[in-house]
Amino acid sequence: MKKIFVICLLFCFLCSYSQKKALQAKVTSQYISIDGNLNEPAWENASIASDFVMLEPDNGKSIPQEKRTEVKILYDNDAIYIGAMMYDNEPSKILKEISQRDNFGTADLFGVFINGFNDGQQDFMFYVSAADVQGDCIMTDANGEDYSWDAVWISKASLKENGWVVEIKIPYSALRFSAENKQTWGINFFREIKRDRFKYTWNFVDRKIGTFTQQAGTLEGIENIKPPTRLFFMPYASYYLNAADGQKTYGTMKGGMDIKYGINDAFTIDAILIPDFGQTKYDDQILNLGPFEQQFNENRAFFTEGTDLFSKGNMFYSRRIGGTPSTEPQLSENEELTESPASVNLINALKVSGRTKNGLGVGVLNAVTEKTFATIKDTITGETRRQVVEPLTNYNVLVLDQRFRKNSSVTLINTNVTRNGHFRDANVTGLAWDLNTKANTYSLFGNVKYSHINDAEDKNGLYSTVSLAETSGNYRYSFGTDYVSKNFDPNDLGINFYTNYYNFYGNANYRILNPTKKFNTFRINYNMYSEFNKESGRLQDNYMNANLNLTTVKNNYYGAGASFYPLETYDYYEPRRDGRYVAIPRRIDTWGSISTNYNHKFAVDLNGTFNVFDESERITYGFDIGPRYRFSDKLLLTYFFSYLRRNNNKGYIDQIDGDDNANTPNDIIFANRNVITYSNTLGGKYAVNSAITINLAVRQYWSYADNKNILILEPNGDLTPYPQYTTNKNSSFYSWNTDLSFSWWFAPGSQLSALYRNNASNFERIIDKDFKNNVSGLLNNDALKHIFSVSVKYFIDYNAVKNKVRKRA
């Protein structure tokens, strides 16, 4: 009888988690002051959301009574208000590092996740830390959290004797919901107790199920509100002072405006007029010895904010817009290039995005870049001429994404680049799908893409991929295949390096879903991959990989892995000549990683790698070390040193044209070389308060390739000595970047920022192996370029202005 009683209790316990919790919102006509005190009478009678359960690490465990969380919700005609009390029986241990927006550092956290359509598709997440730092993002199961999205809302956190309090006001203009009189929203609340690394949610989120957004509770009781006019203006003005050796110091003024307009309750237009990206983060340039361009992160806010739709199908690489010109100037005899633009100016850009209540997402992005010239000088006459290297160009992206059953989607994507005149045009169309079973236990993922290039010679290409995966439980697996034709080319508005192959791959893994006596997390992965050249059938890549990742109960991370390449493979890309390939010997790659608990004032990241090839004295090894020290809740310093050495690396350096009349082929020249790379990065943050921060970022980089002997590529892929080639093709690239910035959010959505930046870089064929000389050679006024800039942007909400005008009237 006792066993039956226990079973019944367990059944009731599990059933309580499977049901969605509901919370009643209370209407108020009182003025709610966002001061972190919750002392208005309206809060007293509001319904309470409590009984939080653990998300990580012990999924499903109830929150202790002494750390209980209670949340209340009010609303009026303008906004929704959230009041949360996070009880803590040890308030002195509450972590509260002050950091930048969207970067919470080492601090306790509260969050509210809202889905105005209650369709399980997309959550608007709002976070506040115990240090009163805001963060917000858009969350989908497909793409995770997108912190590039920024809303304008008000919050205040305050510490109390028995815990801490958060008070939040979210204007309706920051949300998306229907025009129905009675609203039912999806909602969940989140709390992280940082010192324990324990995360809790109000409505239970079962980690065995491969979805997060569909496991929210419901918010009821909101009635007779209407979606407001979502119209925002953000005018900005900037001043730049530029100085460098050999040029006169000069200043420039810039101004423009961003506009956001809600077409209806679901769709928004974002437009940027006269863009200014002068204060975006610098690019981490490297010595690129490979056959492909270096891929950079997108740091321009317009192209990162709310772009989750445009990432569908992996067809959009926004750095193409305003990137390097698509052509190079043609020089005649006795001509030299005197001015060659490194980038193309953006004239304007516009994006429309949103999703209907029936799950149809629509995204349109359009951008126009200006006509760009290079300047060429005749070395005999001294005359100059200009040549177009990039015409007036229109970039366009269209996405139609239909979601259904709350966990699946089918997407149509098109990217188009139209250049004025006789220049190259490009069009790529793709169909992508992400299909999941109703219980979120299995997933079928894939896409098909077709590219068409309109140039001197038209080219059409095809890319396809499909994979099947089990997505729930402790044991999971996946397998799939890709096919890419030779002429597939999405690179006018996307980025893709490898073509003309097909592959097969698989993965099996095991993970714990609840902590053990030793581990909070534990996961083992096994991967297999084989890739074949489509035309010859030769093996291009082949490996087996096993790796282990775990977090101890003390929240220290450890990881290790090994990849075994058991067969000789053939690289068709490094020779940079159609149909040619170089043989790659068998090898074993190993790595290890340690990251200590960031809750401690001092923490460190350690990484190491060691790779050995089935070739005499050819090895690769390196390590990274990254200590960090938190002096106080306001001051943090981080340092990261990286070293990598590739001994007897084989790589392309040149090509000697053959004689067509004598029917002699081109000679492809390789080098046997040692490649050594050093990188030092220093970061610092000082927070005056949650609105004012000072940040430092310094990066020193040096990499060189020292050619030991010259080789020629034989038709069978082997490399043989070629001593008659004597041209110096050594490479040495070193660079320096410093950013010292000040940021002040002086009003909601409004920011004053100042930036001092200096940078220098140099590429040489003569290698100076003295580390000090390479650094000091850049740290002088002859080499450094200096920029000081100040920028102000001000957020104007049409509704707020309209309400003020009405009150005055």
Side-chain angles (χ1 to χ4, degrees):
M1 187 69 182
K2 187 180 290 186
K3 290 183 178 179
I4 295 175
F5 178 71
V6 172
I7 291 171
C8 290
L9 282 178
L10 180 60
F11 177 77
C12 293
F13 176 76
L14 293 173
C15 287
S16 67
Y17 285 145
S18 64
Q19 297 174 355
K20 287 181 176 291
K21 294 180 179 179
L23 178 65
Q24 233 16 63
K26 180 179 174 59
V27 67
T28 182
S29 58
Q30 297 178 5
Y31 172 74
I32 305 297
S33 175
I34 307 302
D35 55 12
N37 288 319
L38 305 181
N39 52 9
E40 290 84 0
W43 289 114
E44 295 178 3
N45 299 320
S47 299
I48 299 175
S50 58
D51 300 326
F52 279 50
V53 290
M54 190 176 288
L55 174 67
E56 295 176 2
D58 198 353
N59 191 219
K61 183 179 180 180
S62 295
I63 194 169
Q65 176 67 14
E66 65 270 16
K67 292 184 174 64
R68 67 190 182 277
T69 305
E70 297 177 351
V71 186
K72 301 178 180 181
I73 289 188
L74 304 174
Y75 75 95
D76 59 20
N77 291 326
D78 299 318
I80 182 173
Y81 302 85
I82 298 97
M85 177 68 207
M86 278 65 66
Y87 288 91
D88 198 315
N89 60 329
E90 298 178 291
S92 62
K93 294 184 179 180
I94 294 174
L95 295 175
K96 49 187 185 303
E97 180 189 357
I98 307 173
S99 56
Q100 287 182 293
R101 183 188 177 109
D102 291 337
N103 181 7
F104 306 111
T106 306
D108 281 30
L109 203 60
F110 171 79
V112 54
F113 310 153
I114 298 174
N115 182 329
F117 294 103
N118 193 30
D119 59 3
Q121 302 285 342
Q122 177 176 268
D123 285 349
F124 290 79
M125 294 183 165
F126 302 87
Y127 293 96
V128 182
S129 78
D132 198 29
V133 175
Q134 285 189 354
D136 46 24
C137 67
I138 293 176
M139 165 71 181
T140 61
D141 285 334
N143 298 318
E145 296 177 333
D146 176 13
Y147 281 94
S148 66
W149 177 78
D150 287 318
V152 177
W153 46 290
I154 304 171
S155 63
K156 181 62 180 178
S158 60
L159 298 175
K160 307 296 182 183
E161 292 182 354
N162 56 347
W164 63 291
V165 171
V166 169
E167 195 168 17
I168 300 173
K169 177 183 179 180
I170 304 176
Y172 294 133
S173 57
L175 301 170
R176 305 290 183 271
F177 54 90
S178 69
E180 297 175 359
N181 288 332
K182 290 188 176 182
Q183 300 282 329
T184 299
W185 294 356
I187 197 163
N188 213 343
F189 305 109
F190 172 87
R191 179 184 180 183
E192 180 176 10
I193 302 175
K194 193 69 174 183
R195 65 180 181 272
D196 300 323
R197 296 282 184 98
F198 288 174
K199 299 178 181 180
Y200 299 89
T201 58
W202 170 59
N203 201 79
F204 176 57
V205 176
D206 189 346
R207 293 181 60 208
K208 293 192 297 292
I209 302 174
T211 177
F212 185 93
T213 59
Q214 296 171 50
Q215 300 190 67
T218 58
L219 179 65
E220 301 169 349
I222 298 179
E223 299 180 357
N224 301 317
I225 63 169
K226 293 184 178 180
T229 301
R230 290 184 289 113
L231 178 58
F232 312 110
F233 303 94
M234 192 174 290
Y236 55 84
S238 304
Y239 177 76
Y240 293 85
L241 185 65
N242 299 267
D245 183 60
Q247 72 174 32
K248 184 178 179 181
T249 300
Y250 66 96
T252 56
M253 283 286 296
K254 295 183 180 181
M257 181 181 291
D258 292 352
I259 300 173
K260 295 179 183 287
Y261 174 64
I263 304 171
N264 54 30
D265 59 345
F267 292 93
T268 303
I269 294 178
D270 291 82
I272 183 169
L273 309 176
I274 316 177
D276 177 19
F277 302 124
Q279 290 193 341
T280 56
K281 182 184 180 298
Y282 57 79
D283 290 324
D284 292 339
Q285 292 184 312
I286 63 171
L287 174 62
N288 185 6
L289 299 173
F292 307 116
E293 64 182 298
Q294 182 181 351
Q295 184 173 357
F296 294 107
N297 294 327
E298 179 58 86
N299 298 315
R300 300 170 296 179
F302 179 84
F303 293 106
T304 60
E305 293 177 359
T307 55
D308 59 305
L309 268 176
F310 302 104
S311 65
K312 295 281 186 175
N314 195 28
M315 291 172 53
F316 178 48
Y317 177 46
S318 57
R319 290 296 296 262
R320 296 293 184 206
I321 302 173
T324 56
S326 61
T327 66
E328 296 183 357
Q330 301 298 314
L331 301 180
S332 301
E333 192 175 352
N334 302 321
E335 284 187 330
E336 65 179 8
L337 197 62
T338 59
E339 184 179 350
S340 180
S343 61
V344 178
N345 289 330
L346 177 66
I347 298 175
N348 56 54
L350 172 80
K351 60 186 176 189
V352 179
S353 60
R355 189 175 296 276
T356 70
K357 64 180 181 180
N358 295 321
L360 177 61
V362 180
V364 177
L365 186 146
N366 183 267
V368 179
T369 57
E370 70 178 14
K371 191 175 184 179
T372 305
F373 298 87
T375 303
I376 300 168
K377 180 181 178 180
D378 189 307
T379 56
I380 298 177
T381 65
E383 295 181 351
T384 61
R385 65 181 179 91
R386 297 204 305 166
Q387 182 176 323
V388 177
V389 290
E390 184 70 20
L392 182 72
T393 305
N394 181 273
Y395 298 85
N396 194 74
V397 183
L398 170 66
V399 181
L400 299 174
D401 178 58
Q402 180 62 59
R403 290 180 180 165
F404 54 93
R405 212 168 53 204
K406 295 188 177 183
N407 66 351
S408 300
S409 65
V410 175
T411 311
L412 177 69
I413 316 106
N414 177 264
T415 65
N416 181 274
V417 178
T418 302
R419 297 183 173 90
N420 190 38
H422 61 276
F423 289 81
R424 162 181 167 133
D425 297 330
N427 189 83
V428 184
T429 300
L431 179 69
W433 57 90
D434 184 4
L435 309 178
N436 297 272
T437 58
K438 188 175 181 179
N440 289 293
T441 53
Y442 294 93
S443 172
L444 180 66
F445 173 87
N447 60 66
V448 177
K449 295 176 278 194
Y450 178 81
S451 66
H452 173 72
I453 305 299
N454 183 8
D455 204 354
E457 180 181 349
D458 290 357
K459 292 194 303 181
N460 301 313
L462 181 69
Y463 176 104
S464 64
T465 180
V466 63
S467 63
L468 176 67
E470 183 182 9
T471 55
S472 65
N474 298 88
Y475 295 92
R476 306 185 189 188
Y477 64 85
S478 66
F479 56 88
T481 181
D482 301 338
Y483 169 89
V484 187
S485 70
K486 185 176 183 177
N487 289 329
F488 177 70
D489 186 358
N491 290 308
D492 289 79
L493 197 46
I495 188 164
N496 182 76
F497 297 144
Y498 300 98
T499 62
N500 199 34
Y501 71 88
Y502 59 92
N503 64 26
F504 304 97
Y505 50 87
N507 164 272
N509 62 80
Y510 168 80
R511 71 194 69 191
I512 61 171
L513 300 175
N514 294 89
T516 67
K517 292 182 179 180
K518 294 183 178 181
F519 306 119
N520 279 339
T521 65
F522 183 93
R523 177 170 172 170
I524 298 176
N525 294 288
Y526 176 72
N527 305 287
M528 295 184 66
Y529 183 86
S530 294
E531 179 182 304
F532 303 88
N533 182 268
K534 188 175 70 68
E535 293 181 343
S536 68
R538 288 182 179 273
L539 191 64
Q540 290 189 173
D541 202 357
N542 175 250
Y543 64 80
M544 295 174 286
N545 165 270
N547 60 79
L548 168 67
N549 299 273
L550 61 90
T551 305
T552 68
V553 291
K554 293 186 177 181
N555 291 306
N556 297 314
Y557 164 82
Y558 298 90
S563 297
F564 178 44
Y565 296 76
L567 301 173
E568 185 178 59
T569 56
Y570 302 90
D571 185 346
Y572 280 79
Y573 309 103
E574 181 65 18
R576 307 172 204 197
R577 171 64 65 173
D578 187 22
R580 299 296 300 274
Y581 55 85
V582 60
I584 306 297
R586 299 178 301 170
R587 74 179 193 269
I588 297 176
D589 297 348
T590 60
W591 64 271
S593 183
I594 298 173
S595 180
T596 63
N597 190 346
Y598 282 13
N599 286 353
H600 301 145
K601 285 184 174 294
F602 176 79
V604 64
D605 296 324
L606 298 169
N607 304 293
T609 182
F610 184 82
N611 309 331
V612 58
F613 291 75
D614 186 18
E615 184 177 287
S616 178
E617 298 183 340
R618 184 172 179 178
I619 59 172
T620 296
Y621 59 91
F623 67 92
D624 308 323
I625 180 169
R628 51 190 291 131
Y629 190 80
R630 192 174 70 254
F631 293 86
S632 68
D633 288 335
K634 293 185 175 183
L635 179 61
L636 171 71
L637 286 179
T638 63
Y639 171 72
F640 196 82
F641 173 74
S642 179
Y643 173 80
L644 181 67
R645 183 182 183 99
R646 292 180 284 171
N647 285 346
N648 293 299
N649 170 264
K650 308 297 189 296
Y652 170 97
I653 59 169
D654 202 0
Q655 191 166 156
I656 301 174
D657 293 334
D659 187 344
D660 292 336
N661 294 327
N663 197 26
T664 57
N666 295 343
D667 289 332
I668 299 174
I669 309 302
F670 273 59
N672 179 39
R673 62 201 181 188
N674 292 338
V675 183
I676 296 92
T677 303
Y678 303 87
S679 176
N680 290 276
T681 304
L682 177 67
K685 174 224 64 179
Y686 180 77
V688 179
N689 52 44
S690 60
I692 301 175
T693 56
I694 300 170
N695 295 278
L696 173 69
V698 180
R699 177 178 183 261
Q700 175 273 327
Y701 175 89
W702 177 35
S703 183
Y704 66 88
D706 187 7
N707 298 330
K708 300 168 62 177
N709 53 289
I710 305 302
L711 309 168
I712 190 170
L713 180 64
E714 301 292 351
N716 65 352
D718 290 341
L719 295 169
T720 57
Y722 192 67
Q724 53 266 50
Y725 184 92
T726 57
T727 304
N728 178 13
K729 286 292 184 175
N730 290 336
S731 300
S732 178
F733 174 75
Y734 46 102
S735 64
W736 175 273
N737 296 89
T738 300
D739 276 7
L740 178 63
S741 62
F742 169 85
S743 174
W744 175 29
W745 292 91
F746 59 88
S750 303
Q751 183 184 28
L752 168 67
S753 57
L755 171 68
Y756 167 70
R757 169 175 292 169
N758 65 44
N759 64 84
S761 62
N762 195 23
F763 176 83
E764 296 176 335
R765 293 294 183 188
I766 305 298
I767 300 175
D768 182 354
K769 295 185 180 181
D770 189 312
F771 184 87
K772 180 180 177 181
N773 290 344
N774 282 281
V775 176
S776 61
L778 296 177
L779 298 182
N780 58 73
N781 285 329
D782 293 338
L784 286 171
K785 299 176 181 178
H786 306 268
I787 301 174
F788 177 75
S789 61
V790 179
S791 180
V792 180
K793 62 180 181 180
Y794 191 77
F795 177 81
I796 301 172
D797 184 348
Y798 165 80
N799 294 290
V801 174
K802 182 178 68 173
N803 291 338
K804 287 183 179 180
V805 172
R806 284 180 177 176
K807 290 178 180 179
R808 291 179 180 177

